[in-house]
Amino acid sequence: MPSDPQEQPRPRQVDMIDLFAGPGGLDVAARWLGLSVYGFEWDRNACATRSAAGLNDRPHDVRDFGPGKAPSAWILAGGPPCQTFTVAGSGAGRRALDEVLRYVDRMGQGEDVSADLATLKDERTGLVLEPLRWALAAHRRDGPFKVIVLEQVPAVLPIWQKIRTVLEEIGYHVRCGILRTEQFGVPQTRRRAILIASLDGARELPTPTHRPYRKGVERAAGDSDLLPWETMGSALSRGYDFHVISNYGTGGDPKLRGRRGSREPSATITGKVSRNKIVDGAGIESPRFSLAEAGRLQTFPLDYPWSGNDIAQQIGNAIPPVLALHVLSAALGKQVSHEDARKVVDRPWIDTRDSAPLDHFARIGQLFV
């Protein structure tokens, strides 16, 4: 790709490399923690948002880079494309799961499998192994990442478990599992497969701060040591009760569309969020979610400067920054309270993107520097 004379040169060193960075879910969380980050993202629409948000914005293909060709960093993070693994996607990744697991074994034995990955029916399937390629390459160069954080849809958990075995063989302490976003203060139900790895001692996945959502169960029910789940109404402050009628039909039946009230968390935000109808308490149709509201349900700041095209898809593809905040902090050996998370998510992005984070998060970010 030709050089852009207006692009700032890549920094020589940052705290975190973010692979498949998208519009900035992990980047936002890293900034909240006081970490410098360089994201690799190829989609030009996501890069337009990154530019407006003050993040590095030149399109990059992660397959063209690696340790030695990228800024040096002590944290490697990434959320590879999920389209071939998600239930709503093509399913090519799920069908190729056994083959992908064999590639992980071969990579652990030192083989270069890039040519074989290129033969997969959908090239996006092989991208799930790019973080492992980067991690192994850094280890061979005697400059290993101290911390690794990966996230994907639940169907990818078997791959994270296989990668865990490879990373443990080279000295990492690794944990992986499925986290529910509403249990970390996100006003939305979404499940993510998470892997955290550290060279600096054992780590645990973050401890939930909120109760799990159950349809028909009151917010006050459940473990009294945990907070009630967050609601759409409290996140958006529309000033009236409403119901969201999903564009999707349960079990494939369009007549059985999902329905959530404003006193519940949102269903998973997807690229089709604008198709969901919203009705008030009298059943009268109300304005559909704005892009800013959809982003807020993902826990991006309300003023996050979404740009480019396919913005709804950008929002739906991103990891919720508040979940990323909890996961990154856990990888650093720390637990974030809901109160501290609210301090940053409710603060305008324009106030935080180019300035020092809140003191508490600055201390977390400086632990391993």
Side-chain angles (χ1 to χ4, degrees):
M1 182 178 297
S3 176
D4 182 349
Q6 296 183 344
E7 182 201 13
Q8 293 183 353
R10 284 193 296 271
R12 297 185 63 181
Q13 184 172 355
V14 293
D15 293 308
M16 187 173 95
I17 291 290
D18 183 10
L19 305 181
F20 313 102
L26 276 161
D27 301 59
V28 169
R31 290 288 188 92
W32 285 341
L33 285 170
L35 302 170
S36 58
V37 57
Y38 191 89
F40 284 81
E41 173 56 47
W42 71 271
D43 180 74
R44 292 184 179 275
N45 291 316
C47 287
T49 294
R50 296 181 62 81
S51 177
L55 305 171
N56 68 285
D57 59 357
R58 187 183 184 191
H60 295 305
D61 187 329
V62 300
R63 292 169 293 188
D64 296 335
F65 294 86
K69 296 179 67 176
S72 63
W74 57 280
I75 303 173
L76 176 68
C82 67
Q83 289 90 341
T84 68
F85 292 97
T86 184
V87 174
S90 68
R94 299 194 305 279
R95 290 190 293 273
L97 181 60
D98 289 342
E99 188 175 2
V100 172
L101 294 176
R102 288 193 292 271
Y103 288 142
V104 174
D105 285 330
R106 291 171 56 188
M107 292 173 72
Q109 295 166 8
E111 290 188 46
D112 180 358
V113 301
S114 55
D116 292 328
L117 291 177
T119 67
L120 291 171
K121 184 175 182 180
D122 191 319
E123 67 172 1
R124 295 174 297 181
T125 299
L127 295 176
V128 74
L129 300 184
E130 279 298 303
L132 179 60
R133 179 180 70 82
W134 280 64
L136 293 175
H139 183 265
R140 288 194 298 269
R141 292 173 60 89
D142 294 325
F145 296 101
K146 293 182 181 180
V147 173
I148 299 173
V149 172
L150 305 178
E151 64 89 18
Q152 247 282 13
V153 294
V156 172
L157 183 60
I159 299 175
W160 287 173
Q161 292 169 332
K162 179 68 75 169
I163 288 177
R164 176 182 62 192
T165 300
V166 173
L167 293 178
E168 287 176 340
E169 289 176 351
I170 59 176
Y172 283 94
H173 302 270
V174 186
R175 292 288 186 272
C176 53
I178 305 295
L179 299 183
R180 298 168 60 128
T181 57
E182 82 274 14
Q183 289 199 267
F184 296 91
V186 179
Q188 172 196 175
T189 55
R190 177 186 292 242
R191 298 167 66 241
R192 304 303 289 178
I194 302 294
L195 178 149
I196 61 174
S198 171
L199 287 177
D200 292 314
R203 299 287 185 262
E204 298 296 335
L205 292 175
T207 302
T209 55
H210 292 66
R211 298 165 195 161
Y213 168 76
R214 296 284 188 272
K215 187 72 174 177
V217 176
E218 294 294 326
R219 291 181 72 227
D223 189 342
S224 60
D225 291 333
L226 297 175
L227 296 167
W229 25 261
E230 294 294 306
T231 70
M232 289 185 281
S234 63
L236 302 183
S237 301
R238 282 198 167 197
Y240 58 90
D241 287 343
F242 58 84
H243 282 84
V244 180
I245 304 172
S246 173
N247 178 60
Y248 293 104
T250 303
D253 185 347
K255 296 180 181 179
L256 300 177
R257 298 189 186 278
R259 188 182 181 101
R260 294 275 180 95
S262 55
R263 300 186 187 188
E264 299 173 277
S266 166
T268 300
I269 298 296
T270 72
K272 297 180 175 60
V273 62
S274 62
R275 299 185 185 180
N276 296 339
K277 291 183 179 180
I278 299 178
V279 297
D280 65 16
I284 299 173
E285 191 163 344
S286 298
R288 301 190 181 194
F289 287 140
S290 67
L291 294 173
E293 287 179 319
R296 181 62 183 82
L297 293 174
Q298 279 275 61
T299 65
F300 281 89
L302 267 172
D303 67 334
Y304 201 67
W306 302 102
S307 302
N309 297 317
D310 295 329
I311 292 177
Q313 193 66 53
Q314 293 182 49
I315 295 171
N317 286 347
I319 181 174
V322 164
L323 177 65
L325 175 66
H326 282 275
V327 172
L328 282 172
S329 298
L332 300 179
K334 292 293 180 179
Q335 172 82 5
V336 173
S337 70
H338 177 59
E339 292 74 18
D340 283 329
R342 285 296 297 266
K343 288 178 184 177
V344 287
V345 76
D346 288 338
R347 194 177 184 187
W349 175 247
I350 195 171
D351 289 347
T352 58
R353 67 178 191 178
D354 297 320
S355 61
L358 299 180
D359 290 343
H360 174 76
F361 292 99
R363 289 196 295 274
I364 294 176
Q366 293 167 2
L367 285 175
F368 291 90
V369 176

